[in-house]
C-alpha cells in the first residue's frame, strides 16, 4: 500500500485491533484512516515507527527543529516517545529504519524532535 499524500496525514497511531481503534475516532476522520503496509511489529517497534512519523510531521503548532518552515500538522497531542528520554535517538532511528525498509522512506526524515539532535536522523533525503 503506498503512503498517503503528506498533506492528508493528520494523525498517527498504533493498534492491534485496527477496526475497533478506527471506530473510536470521530466519524468525519474514519474514511481517511489508512494502515501502512508493515510486517507484524512488537509493541516497542510499533511505538518507534509511530514516533518516527510524529517526528516527521510534527504535532499541531510544533516548530520544526530549524525553526523555519511549516509548523507541525498532526492532531496528536504529544510525541509517542519523549525526546528527553535517554533512549530517544536509538528508538527514533529504529522507527526510521523500519519505514525505509518497507517503502516509506519519504516519511523517515525527522524534522520535529523538539531540537533533540540524533545522529543520522536528518532532514530531507
Amino acid at each position: 500500500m503506498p503512503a498517503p499524500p503528506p498533506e492528508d496525514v493528520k494523525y498517527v497511531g498504533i493498534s492491534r485491533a485496527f477496526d475497533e481503534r478506527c471506530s473510536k475516532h470521530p466519524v468525519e476522520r474514519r474514511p481517511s484512516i489508512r494502515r501502512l503496509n508493515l510486517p507484524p511489529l512488537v509493541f516497542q517497534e510499533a511505538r518507534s515507527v509511530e514516533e518516527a512519523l510524529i517526528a516527521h510531521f510534527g504535532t499541531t503548532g510544533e516548530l520544526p527543529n530549524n525553526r523555519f518552515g511549516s509548523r507541525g500538522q498532526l492532531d496528536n497531542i504529544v510525541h509517542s516517545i519523549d525526546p528527553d528520554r535517554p533512549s530517544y535517538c536509538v528508538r527514533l532511528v529504529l522507527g526510521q529504519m523500519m519505514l525505509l525498509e518497507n517503502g516509506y522512506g519519504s516519511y523517515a526524515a525527522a524534522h520535529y524532535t523538539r531540537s533533540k539532535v540524533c545522529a543520522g536522523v536528518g532532514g530531507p533525503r
Side-chain angles (χ1 to χ4, degrees), residues 11-99:
Y11 178 84
V12 297
I14 58 176
S15 178
R16 289 184 295 185
F18 184 73
D19 293 335
E20 181 181 334
R21 181 69 179 106
C22 290
S23 72
K24 306 276 193 237
H25 282 278
V27 174
E28 62 275 4
R29 182 184 290 161
R30 292 178 196 166
S32 64
I33 295 175
R34 301 288 179 266
R35 182 185 318 204
L36 296 182
N37 187 22
L38 297 171
L41 305 174
V42 297
F43 179 76
Q44 295 298 331
E45 292 169 328
R47 182 57 58 94
S48 293
V49 170
E50 180 182 40
E51 178 55 30
L53 291 167
I54 293 171
H56 179 77
F57 291 106
T59 59
T60 300
E62 183 177 7
L63 286 171
N65 293 338
N66 67 8
R67 303 285 181 210
F68 299 103
S70 301
R71 291 182 177 265
Q73 68 188 52
L74 298 178
D75 291 337
N76 297 64
I77 297 170
V78 297
H79 280 257
S80 180
I81 303 169
D82 186 340
D84 293 330
R85 290 183 60 123
S87 63
Y88 180 77
C89 290
V90 171
R91 300 279 305 281
L92 177 60
V93 170
L94 171 64
Q96 290 175 309
M97 290 304 301
M98 296 186 93
L99 290 170

